Amino acid sequence: MVDLTRKRPSASEVSDRIALRELVDSYAYVLDNRLQKQFGTLFCADGRLVVPHPAGADRPKLVFDGGDGWARAFALLAPFTATVHFVGNHLVSIGGDDATGETYCLAHELFDHDGVARMIVRCVRYTDTYLRVAGKWFFHIRELTIAWISDQALIPPPSVLVRRE
């Protein structure tokens, strides 16, 4: 749980908070730009990503870690022609070289369904544990929970709708 009653942070805590936010933002950037090789560098050596099973909540969660685990995690993006992860709230609690946090994200996922452009928007909450190793912060465990999902057809941009003569 994040402590909302904390006092004014020290300079080192501010630095840690910036580094942790940069890690969270880098995760979204790596996903959206399909930088699979960089994905594993965001996690410590024994780091894990835990996600809900795509087939439904009644199935066990998927756990990805190191080596081919990162490639398997990235394969979850294969159905989408593009993604945009918009990162919102990021609250952390830091204790030395360990930290915990919670991050909200709206994951926009574009795909084609029978020739119609569609978009799924997932409201995601990440529950994170972080480790600082050799002065750098990494994800130790990143577990995502989906609060809700919206699926909608996309409207072509106005430039497509305007007839040019």
Side-chain angles (χ1 to χ4, degrees):
M1 183 67 173
V2 176
D3 179 9
L4 298 176
T5 62
R6 66 185 182 279
K7 297 178 183 168
R8 186 179 175 114
S10 67
S12 65
E13 184 180 352
V14 170
S15 178
D16 287 338
R17 288 178 181 281
I18 291 169
L20 288 165
R21 177 59 194 233
E22 186 173 294
L23 176 65
V24 165
D25 290 343
S26 294
Y27 178 92
Y29 180 83
V30 164
L31 291 178
D32 293 340
N33 289 282
R34 305 300 194 265
L35 302 174
Q36 183 176 335
K37 290 181 182 179
Q38 285 83 3
F39 187 70
T41 67
L42 303 174
F43 292 81
C44 62
D46 63 344
R48 295 189 316 264
L49 174 64
V50 181
V51 301
H53 199 289
D58 58 333
R59 305 282 302 271
K61 292 181 179 182
L62 303 175
V63 179
F64 302 100
D65 56 13
D68 71 336
W70 301 135
R72 289 185 306 111
F74 237 77
L76 295 175
L77 297 174
F80 306 113
T81 56
T83 57
V84 174
H85 289 76
F86 186 77
V87 179
N89 302 3
H90 180 237
L91 297 172
V92 295
S93 181
I94 302 167
D97 290 336
D98 299 301
T100 58
E102 187 170 290
T103 306
Y104 290 11
C105 174
L106 292 176
H108 300 76
E109 303 162 335
L110 281 61
F111 64 103
D112 181 81
H113 180 73
D114 294 333
V116 176
R118 298 196 63 83
M119 177 176 62
I120 293 174
V121 179
R122 299 177 203 267
C123 178
V124 176
R125 188 182 82 226
Y126 292 100
T127 304
D128 298 319
T129 60
Y130 311 96
L131 287 177
R132 181 176 16 216
V133 179
K136 184 176 177 187
W137 286 102
F138 297 92
F139 292 110
H140 183 228
I141 301 171
R142 176 154 247 220
E143 182 167 354
L144 73 95
T145 303
I146 299 172
W148 51 261
I149 300 172
S150 171
D151 181 354
Q152 57 200 351
L154 292 180
I155 300 169
S159 62
V160 174
L161 299 174
V162 176
R163 182 179 215 173
R164 296 190 179 156
E165 296 182 27

